[in-house]
Amino acid sequence: MKKILSILFLLVSVVCTAQNHLQDSINIRRMSNYILTNAHGHEDLRYLCKQIGHRLTGSPQAAKAVAWGKKTLEEAGCDNVFLQEVMVPHWVRGEEAAYYEVGGRKYGMKITSLGNAVGTGDRGVKTSIVMVNDIDEFDRLPESAVRGKIVFFNYRFDQTNINTFHSYGPCVFYRWAAPSRAAGKGAAAVVIRSVSSAYDDEPHTGVLSYDKRYPKIPAIAVGNTTADKLEELVVNNKRPKIYIRTTCEMKRDVKSYNVVGEIYGTELPKEIICFGGHLDSWDVGEGAHDDGAGVVQSIDAIRTFKKLGIRPKRTIRCVLWMNEENGARGARAYMQQAKEKNEHHILAIESDAGGATPYGFGLTMSAAKKDKVQAWKDLFYPYNIYNFSRKGGGVDINPLHKEFDTPTMGLLPDGHRYFDMHHSDNDVFENVHRRELCMGTIAMAMMVYLVSQHGL
């Protein structure tokens, strides 16, 4: 009798699983059809980029973006929309000018100051340059070879990596830490070859971090073709000099906000799935891929649930974080408030790798949870979402993982063009393809839906 009951129980379980699987497939197709046949997300991005523009924290545009985000989530039909206060840094770029000089002739250079950098002062800095190809070469230089000069870190983006993010990581050191390393030997300023995969002359910005042990010195980036020219001059012993004038400065912190919109779970409302992107951007370009795409994808996922009447069993929460680019204070504020409210996040997802065609999710979680996600693979395959083998997270959700061991995911779009645009004037609305953006929204909505229905 026990054996018969066990078999019956197994059969009922199989039938229920199959029915759930079929209903999941139907709902996912409904979401996909809705997203692909409506232009809500793309039009949201157009407004964010063209009517508000770039959104560096502390700027008037960032404040406008907060108001827009709150209004858009309310119009999307969230059960609750609220703001989380956070004090953010207020760095201002100011004026920038530069040239290199060879044989008494001056040649203009397009530059961008690195984020949070100090300025040169009104007179600027003009001196000879010392070129090094990597930090090991720099470390071998005596202080006498560096003092009073401009150090040119000529470290190249590795074009041989198929996954461009593998090239990004090593380059970031030269943007983040090299200025202080140079200051430690008495350098007057730093120039870096941009963290860029593009063969153009567009400089790319990004945050640096000053080591408190050393003086703060100006730091700028140049595009790849200018970097090639400087390299050629040094190699051919032309003894170029560089003039830099920048007026960037850090002002007092400014009050800003994370924007949060949620749909309450029907069965397990205290289990929270948060997902989103960062609302701020650098003050170049329009912040379209970084991270306007992640913002509008997340809003449109919420909108899709509401428009189709799909009620999640667990609470789903769209978060538009503030200050990812030059401080990550919004991320820490979100984690701290979750801690104070004793909230239970069962998953956090971030879309912060651009709006190109997605192919998977990176997963940082236990093996058992990874296995559960892998069990949904056949639901993702029809949408060309197939890769769940990498680790994943994001600057804005990593504090949750660190503090609570919250499982994290990062959407994985195609990255071949991303670092052509990242942190530069190339990151504009026109460089985001509507259908590719929609496919990212579909991937996000699918994952949120499945975890909201079945847990993790």
Side-chain angles (χ1 to χ4, degrees):
M1 187 66 177
K2 287 183 179 179
K3 187 174 182 180
I4 293 172
L5 288 173
S6 296
I7 292 171
L8 286 173
F9 178 80
L10 180 61
L11 288 172
V12 170
S13 177
V14 168
V15 170
C16 288
T17 300
Q19 288 177 337
N20 287 338
H21 195 81
L22 177 60
Q23 188 59 52
D24 290 341
S25 181
I26 290 170
N27 281 336
I28 287 169
R29 175 55 68 181
R30 289 176 64 213
M31 290 192 293
S32 173
N33 289 347
Y34 175 78
I35 292 164
L36 286 172
T37 54
N38 289 277
H40 296 306
H42 198 241
E43 287 306 307
D44 285 345
L45 186 63
R46 185 194 305 274
Y47 188 92
L48 186 62
C49 291
K50 297 302 180 185
Q51 299 302 314
I52 297 177
H54 52 66
R55 307 165 296 281
L56 187 59
T57 52
S59 69
Q61 295 94 329
K64 289 179 181 178
V66 167
W68 168 86
K70 182 174 184 293
K71 180 174 182 288
T72 306
L73 280 168
E74 289 170 343
E75 292 174 347
C78 289
D79 297 338
N80 183 36
V81 179
F82 59 97
L83 302 179
Q84 292 183 329
E85 182 179 317
V86 55
M87 297 300 292
V88 298
H90 183 198
W91 180 78
V92 177
R93 181 173 299 279
E95 299 175 0
E96 297 176 330
Y99 61 81
Y100 65 88
E101 183 176 291
V102 180
R105 295 188 64 183
K106 299 174 182 177
Y107 303 86
M109 295 196 307
K110 187 173 183 180
I111 65 168
T112 182
S113 293
L114 300 184
N116 294 1
V118 298
T120 62
D122 288 340
R123 295 183 63 184
V125 174
K126 181 180 178 182
T127 185
S128 57
I129 67 173
V130 177
M131 184 184 80
V132 292
N133 293 308
D134 56 43
I135 195 63
D136 292 333
E137 185 178 340
F138 174 80
D139 286 343
R140 291 192 295 269
L141 290 176
E143 184 176 314
S144 59
V146 175
R147 182 162 296 280
K149 296 182 174 62
I150 295 174
V151 179
F152 169 37
F153 286 99
N154 188 37
Y155 188 84
R156 293 176 180 273
F157 190 97
D158 187 351
Q159 300 285 0
T160 66
N161 285 320
I162 303 303
N163 182 346
T164 55
F165 281 85
H166 291 165
S167 301
Y168 178 66
C171 288
V172 167
F173 168 83
Y174 295 89
R175 189 189 74 204
W176 173 261
S180 284
R181 292 286 284 272
K185 290 188 178 182
V190 159
V191 176
I192 71 164
R193 179 185 284 269
S194 280
V195 183
S196 168
S197 56
Y199 287 103
D200 63 17
D201 203 34
E202 204 62 62
H204 294 233
T205 191
V207 70
L208 64 74
S209 177
Y210 284 120
D211 188 323
K212 293 180 180 178
R213 295 174 297 173
Y214 307 117
K216 295 179 180 180
I217 60 174
I220 65 166
V222 296
N224 275 318
T225 55
T226 288
D228 288 345
K229 184 61 179 179
L230 293 176
E231 178 184 40
E232 177 188 343
L233 292 170
V234 172
V235 168
N236 291 321
N237 201 30
K238 298 295 185 180
R239 302 182 185 277
K241 290 186 176 182
I242 289 180
Y243 169 79
I244 302 168
R245 179 181 176 276
T246 60
T247 63
C248 46
E249 61 177 320
M250 187 68 77
K251 296 180 177 291
R252 290 183 179 179
D253 288 357
V254 173
K255 184 189 296 186
S256 190
Y257 303 89
N258 295 327
V259 186
V260 184
E262 57 190 3
I263 301 174
Y264 300 134
T266 57
E267 296 182 15
L268 297 164
K270 292 187 178 180
E271 293 190 7
I272 298 169
I273 302 156
C274 81
F275 58 99
H278 62 87
L279 197 53
D280 63 303
S281 75
W282 281 110
D283 57 335
V284 292
E286 296 169 349
H289 278 282
D290 187 19
D291 186 25
V295 165
V296 301
Q297 286 168 340
S298 304
I299 293 173
D300 211 20
I302 283 277
R303 182 186 285 119
T304 300
F305 273 80
K306 294 298 292 187
K307 289 290 186 182
L308 299 182
I310 298 173
R311 295 294 306 188
K313 292 180 180 179
R314 293 159 176 85
T315 294
I316 64 172
R317 178 181 286 177
C318 171
V319 186
L320 314 181
W321 284 277
M322 180 56 70
N323 189 227
E324 189 269 356
E325 293 293 5
N326 69 331
R329 296 191 191 174
R332 293 194 293 273
Y334 183 85
M335 180 277 294
Q336 187 60 39
Q337 292 188 41
K339 187 175 182 179
E340 291 168 359
K341 294 180 179 180
N342 197 30
E343 292 180 338
H344 177 43
H345 287 72
I346 66 168
L347 177 65
I349 311 174
E350 186 158 10
S351 172
D352 186 20
T357 303
Y359 62 89
F361 286 88
L363 314 178
T364 298
M365 58 190 65
S366 68
K369 288 179 170 58
K370 286 182 180 179
D371 288 343
K372 187 161 188 175
V373 174
Q374 296 279 0
W376 298 328
K377 267 190 168 182
D378 61 330
L379 289 167
F380 283 96
Y381 280 149
Y383 303 89
N384 293 324
I385 306 297
Y386 58 87
N387 191 322
F388 301 90
S389 62
R390 292 171 52 190
K391 289 186 176 181
V395 170
D396 295 304
I397 58 178
N398 287 345
L400 290 173
H401 179 72
K402 185 176 181 180
E403 184 70 24
F404 310 115
D405 198 29
T406 303
T408 58
M409 291 186 186
L411 183 67
L412 300 178
D414 183 285
H416 290 297
R417 294 181 296 125
Y418 184 62
F419 291 107
D420 285 17
M421 297 171 281
H422 182 253
H423 293 180
S424 79
D425 281 336
N426 290 332
D427 189 10
V428 294
F429 171 77
E430 289 79 6
N431 284 332
V432 179
H433 189 276
R434 188 199 71 85
R435 190 174 178 88
E436 291 180 356
L437 182 73
C438 287
M439 292 308 300
T441 305
I442 291 167
M444 293 278 283
M446 288 171 64
M447 186 62 77
V448 170
Y449 167 80
L450 288 168
V451 178
S452 74
Q453 296 304 109
H454 307 294
L456 192 61

